[in-house]
Amino acid sequence: MAIKLVAADLDGTLLDSDKQLSPDLFPLIGALEKQGVRFAPASGRQYYNLREMFAPMADELVYISENGAMVCDGAKVISFSAMPAEVVQRAVETAREIPGASAILACREGAFYENDKDGVFLENMAHYYARRRYAPDLLRLAEREPVCKVAVFCSRKAESTVLPALAPFAAEAQVALSGADWVDLMRPGMNKGQAIGSLCEALGIAPEDCMAFGDYLNDLELLQSVGESFAMANAHDTLKKTAKYICPSNDEDGVCRTIRHILGIDK
């Protein structure tokens, strides 16, 4: 097996239920590098959030952030896929009408939000957006700032409330359920799988030589795009049916254990 790239989602995949990375992960990434294998966090999280999480080796990794809308090799931006401003503005207007929902606009240099009163939203946003700034009106911001993703938060009601409200955007935007609390809108066709294609082209490797791990519906295209796909034991049922293999859960250090087993890397 000639694996050249390993991509792994964060929440529910690399991170355990306490939102912690495995202590074995950084040594494992170092071992992968010695074998000529690149490692890519692949997340709906912000690029700057991922760099912060992987600070000890931030410039050595490749990143699939914002569910594929921003792809980087270390500090170099490989791709940034902005949405039409008019679609962004209508998405913000729709989010404003959803009870309990709050929108975030993901831009190249950081994220912007207009709801600074909801403590639950602010706490959750802080987990995923390291570089963020308050903006009094996201509609006006979208007129002047390119936006690669609109993220809409609604505590524990993303699938039941936000997803149906944003479903009409499916003809002009990629609508992805990113977890129990989040729904993301991006350019049509934009997803982690498309980002794998961009990374493979930039790195000069084939998708068949990639391995990927995921747990939720925004990982669907990621797993479909690689040669070796793994759904976590705790994954959404749809993802389990899509993946080539099932691996141990995020609370069992499933990603690290599987990589070591498949690629023959000893501790």
Side-chain angles (χ1 to χ4, degrees):
M1 184 182 301
I3 297 298
K4 298 298 183 185
L5 173 70
V6 176
D9 172 57
L10 266 291
D11 297 275
T13 302
L14 273 177
L15 296 176
D16 63 20
S17 294
D18 294 323
K19 301 294 185 183
Q20 299 298 311
L21 290 170
S22 167
D24 188 38
L25 181 60
F26 287 115
L28 177 56
I29 294 174
L32 288 173
E33 288 183 344
K34 291 179 181 178
Q35 292 191 4
V37 181
R38 300 296 301 274
F39 186 82
S43 177
R45 289 173 179 252
Q46 181 190 55
Y47 165 67
Y48 303 101
N49 176 271
L50 297 179
R51 282 191 63 91
E52 189 175 88
M53 291 181 67
F54 290 87
M57 47 180 50
D59 287 333
E60 301 168 39
L61 304 184
V62 284
Y63 298 90
I64 296 172
S65 64
E66 309 289 13
N67 275 328
M70 187 168 176
V71 179
C72 301
D73 185 348
K76 178 184 177 182
V77 178
I78 294 175
S79 64
F80 179 87
S81 301
M83 300 171 62
E86 185 268 336
V87 175
V88 172
Q89 290 174 316
R90 283 194 290 110
V92 170
E93 290 173 339
T94 300
R96 287 174 173 174
E97 298 299 318
I98 303 172
S102 302
I104 295 171
L105 301 188
C107 303
R108 184 185 289 263
E109 298 301 326
F112 295 86
Y113 62 98
E114 63 183 10
N115 180 358
D116 62 347
K117 302 294 192 297
D118 185 339
V120 175
F121 163 65
L122 294 173
E123 181 180 356
N124 275 268
M125 175 178 58
H127 287 305
Y128 304 106
Y129 294 90
R131 188 180 292 184
R132 58 195 184 276
R133 190 186 314 168
Y134 170 75
D137 186 352
L138 292 182
L139 296 181
R140 295 193 64 181
L141 178 77
E143 292 176 354
R144 65 178 189 274
E145 192 78 29
V147 175
C148 71
K149 186 184 76 177
V150 179
V152 181
F153 172 86
C154 192
S155 182
R156 315 311 296 175
K157 294 182 179 179
E159 188 167 7
S160 63
T161 303
V162 180
L163 194 61
L166 296 179
F169 285 87
E172 53 192 338
Q174 178 79 15
V175 183
L177 181 66
S178 294
D181 304 321
W182 297 91
V183 175
D184 295 336
L185 270 69
M186 298 158 290
R187 290 185 70 90
M190 187 56 53
N191 52 61
K192 295 180 186 180
Q194 190 275 342
I196 284 287
S198 297
L199 265 183
C200 285
E201 183 177 350
L203 298 175
I205 62 178
E208 293 78 17
D209 296 331
C210 300
M211 176 187 294
F213 298 82
D215 77 301
Y216 219 75
L217 297 183
N218 63 327
D219 299 317
L220 189 64
E221 295 87 357
L222 172 66
L223 299 196
Q224 291 173 333
S225 69
V226 300
E228 302 297 317
S229 59
F230 295 83
M232 312 303 291
N234 53 289
H236 193 288
D237 286 342
T238 299
L239 208 69
K240 289 181 178 179
K241 295 174 183 177
T242 300
K244 193 172 180 180
Y245 308 103
I246 307 296
C247 74
S249 75
N250 63 321
D251 285 328
E252 299 172 288
D253 200 10
V255 174
C256 291
R257 288 172 55 192
T258 300
I259 292 172
R260 287 191 179 278
H261 174 71
I262 296 295
L263 298 185
I265 300 174
D266 296 326
K267 283 192 176 183

